[in-house]
Amino acid sequence: MRAMVESAAIEDQDFRLEARAWLAAHFPPALANVPGLLFQGSRAAADANPDYQLWRAAMTGKGWGVPNWASRYGGAGLTMAQGKIIGEELTAIGGFNPIRSYGTMMLGPTLLEYGNEAQKLEHLPFIASHERRWCQGFSEPGAGSDLASLTTRCTDMGDHWLVSGQKIWTSGADEADWCFALVRTDTSRKHGGISFLLIDMASEGIEARPIVLISGSTHFCEVFFNDVKVPKGNLVGEVNQGWTIAKRLLQFERNSLSEVKADITPLAPLAHDYVGTDALGRIDSPDLRARMVRNAMRHEAYLATVRRIAQEAKNGGPSNGVSTLKNLWSGIIQERSELLVEMMGANGLGWAGEPYSDAEREATHAWLHSKAFSIYGGSYEVQNNITAKHTLGLPG
Ligand SMILES: Cc1cc2nc3c(=O)[nH]c(=O)nc-3n(C[C@H](O)[C@H](O)[C@H](O)COP(=O)(O)OP(=O)(O)OC[C@H]3O[C@@H](n4cnc5c(N)ncnc54)[C@H](O)[C@@H]3O)c2cc1C
């Protein structure tokens, strides 16, 4: 199936053909429609899959995992339009970006804007090769939506920084090599007393404790910093400029959360199998059918909006509109997960073992995990507040 071939970049037809041919030659067919997410956090899953290893090596060598980054940072130095073409062609063959990570989605673009050259050269090539994994140390027990209330202390010790405090909900912290963290460098000011620090997770004094989620996975942790020494050069931007940098990084995060995923299994064939068909060959439940159509229409409308916004964006980067998109996408994916579980009936509540198939167990876990979509990256209500204030200009 070839979808989304009309793009912002129809003018570069030669590049599209080149990308199509290269992907056809290098993307392992065994990985088609396998959720790329499987490999993002888990080193064990990635290491155990030879197809994934080949795919990652091919994309890393080509620089197409971060196509718009300069080659000295591990990218391919392509235009935004060419980067989009690669994404579209990947989607069309059920492929995924093998190095998509917190590094590529959040820290990389932020370092490109705010990092100094030494920091870029030190970190970006390792993000581009997926050798250095990152986690995001923002949230704290008393600082989620009100992130600027964070209290993790960072003291200037002259030749280094000293960090003490606790983070929470830190995705992948137990597998991460490094953490980009917000720390407090001035207690007399709220937003103006925060700094942005890069912390090596192997430093003495760091402990990451996994938290078990409702979906059964343990993809995030509590992280404790006990007098952790951090080199002076790991501060990004100026001291106390962290809030500005964090806001930009959160835009990149929401933008990536609202990106259209390639790994969406079509619902209709599953509905045919589980619910059956009527005399006309339609799904044998008018109500379910109507809700599936509504979800599919919302999805199509969403895709069209994403494409329009991308075409309109002059610099190609994310704007406040990503908060609106993030909420829309969360709603579509949550509704879709509900539909999937509903059509599977009792089989859609499988947890482990027989008599459930892999797909049925995955549906249960995905449904439970979908609840988190409207929380992480900024909660639903807070994103609506951002849309109201910054996009619609409503009074605060
Ligand atoms: C699966 C998952 C992964 C995550 N990964 C990370 C990570 O890697 N790194 C990281 O730093 N954080 C991570 N988070 C944390 C996430 O960013 C926070 O959970 C989120 O910002 C909400 O903060 P909170 O949980 O403290 O909720 P609260 O801020 O306590 O919010 C509770 C409720 O009150 C509402 N509310 C709060 N303030 C307002 C307001 N002003 N107006 C209207 N309603 C409001 C919220 O919308 C929500 O419904 C993750 C969370 C989840 C669920």
Side-chain angles (χ1 to χ4, degrees):
M1 180 192 69
R2 267 199 182 277
M4 296 178 61
V5 282
E6 294 149 61
S7 80
I10 39 177
E11 70 277 10
D12 202 343
Q13 193 61 23
D14 287 348
F15 183 75
R16 183 178 293 287
L17 294 177
E18 180 193 327
R20 193 172 291 173
W22 190 86
L23 293 174
H26 292 89
F27 179 65
L31 291 182
N33 299 314
V34 171
L37 263 178
L38 278 183
F39 303 109
Q40 275 171 28
S42 166
R43 287 208 152 139
D47 289 348
N49 190 307
D51 284 319
Y52 169 81
Q53 297 294 344
L54 277 175
W55 177 224
R56 191 186 86 167
M59 281 289 265
T60 303
K62 190 83 172 159
W64 278 11
V66 278
N68 310 123
W69 294 9
S71 56
R72 66 184 179 285
Y73 303 142
L78 298 175
T79 64
M80 296 299 281
Q82 289 172 322
K84 284 200 184 89
I85 289 177
I86 294 171
E88 289 169 2
E89 290 298 319
L90 259 180
T91 301
I93 57 171
F96 62 90
N97 183 346
I99 67 158
R100 193 171 188 271
S101 63
Y102 279 20
T104 58
M105 295 184 293
M106 301 181 212
L107 180 67
T110 308
L111 271 189
L112 283 168
E113 284 187 19
Y114 288 96
N116 58 39
E117 191 58 17
Q119 289 166 340
K120 291 179 197 172
L121 288 171
E122 156 78 24
H123 293 295
L124 294 178
F126 291 100
I127 292 174
S129 62
H130 209 28
E131 287 168 89
R132 197 173 282 170
R133 303 205 185 194
W134 288 82
C135 62
Q136 176 188 34
F138 280 19
S139 305
E140 296 184 6
S145 300
D146 186 13
L147 185 57
S149 296
L150 62 92
T151 59
T152 292
R153 239 183 17 257
C154 175
T155 314
D156 187 345
M157 304 300 282
D159 62 341
H160 65 271
W161 304 103
L162 198 65
V163 178
S164 287
Q166 187 200 336
K167 298 289 173 182
I168 195 163
W169 319 132
T170 320
S171 299
D174 50 344
E175 297 232 16
D177 304 299
W178 280 72
C179 175
F180 49 91
L182 293 180
V183 292
R184 183 153 298 287
T185 30
D186 184 346
T187 51
S188 68
R189 295 179 291 160
K190 191 175 177 182
H191 297 81
I194 293 171
S195 298
F196 192 104
L197 209 56
L198 308 177
I199 305 178
D200 186 341
M201 289 296 279
S203 313
E204 204 173 314
I206 301 183
E207 189 194 348
R209 292 185 201 154
I211 304 171
V212 182
L213 283 163
I214 189 176
S215 63
S217 69
T218 54
H219 95 270
F220 60 15
C221 302
E222 298 178 285
V223 181
F224 298 88
F225 296 93
N226 300 310
D227 286 341
V228 177
K229 280 185 176 182
V230 179
K232 286 308 267 284
N234 290 18
L235 179 87
V236 179
E238 305 291 324
V239 178
N240 295 330
Q241 193 198 6
W243 187 248
T244 304
I245 302 175
K247 278 195 299 183
R248 187 66 179 145
L249 184 139
L250 287 169
Q251 282 192 335
F252 289 121
E253 175 172 9
R254 285 160 200 157
N255 189 49
S256 65
L257 292 177
S258 62
E259 269 174 9
V260 183
K261 310 292 184 300
D263 47 33
I264 291 206
T265 321
L267 286 182
L270 289 167
H272 282 142
D273 287 351
Y274 280 96
V275 184
T277 48
D278 65 13
L280 296 173
R282 301 175 305 183
I283 296 159
D284 200 9
S285 162
D287 173 52
L288 181 67
R289 215 163 58 217
R291 283 183 289 130
M292 281 174 59
V293 168
R294 201 165 51 236
N295 184 261
M297 285 169 65
R298 285 179 69 204
H299 190 182
E300 282 305 316
Y302 175 82
L303 295 180
T305 308
V306 169
R307 285 202 288 272
R308 181 171 54 77
I309 289 178
Q311 278 169 7
E312 282 170 7
K314 288 199 172 58
N315 63 3
S319 62
N320 285 322
V322 295
S323 292
T324 320
L325 291 180
K326 196 227 156 194
N327 274 0
L328 286 171
W329 181 245
S330 302
I332 291 167
I333 213 72
Q334 285 169 344
E335 186 180 57
R336 198 180 173 286
S337 307
E338 300 270 346
L339 285 167
L340 186 56
V341 165
E342 182 183 329
M343 72 176 64
M344 287 181 170
N347 290 54
L349 296 174
W351 186 253
E354 299 286 341
Y356 306 105
S357 68
D358 287 350
E360 288 163 352
R361 284 191 296 270
E362 173 54 28
T364 315
H365 290 257
W367 169 59
L368 290 167
H369 182 71
S370 74
K371 307 294 175 197
F373 237 83
S374 43
I375 303 174
Y376 59 69
S379 67
Y380 181 80
E381 293 80 1
V382 169
Q383 298 318 299
N384 274 347
N385 283 347
I386 293 174
T387 298
K389 270 192 233 163
H390 300 293
T391 305
L392 301 175
L394 299 175

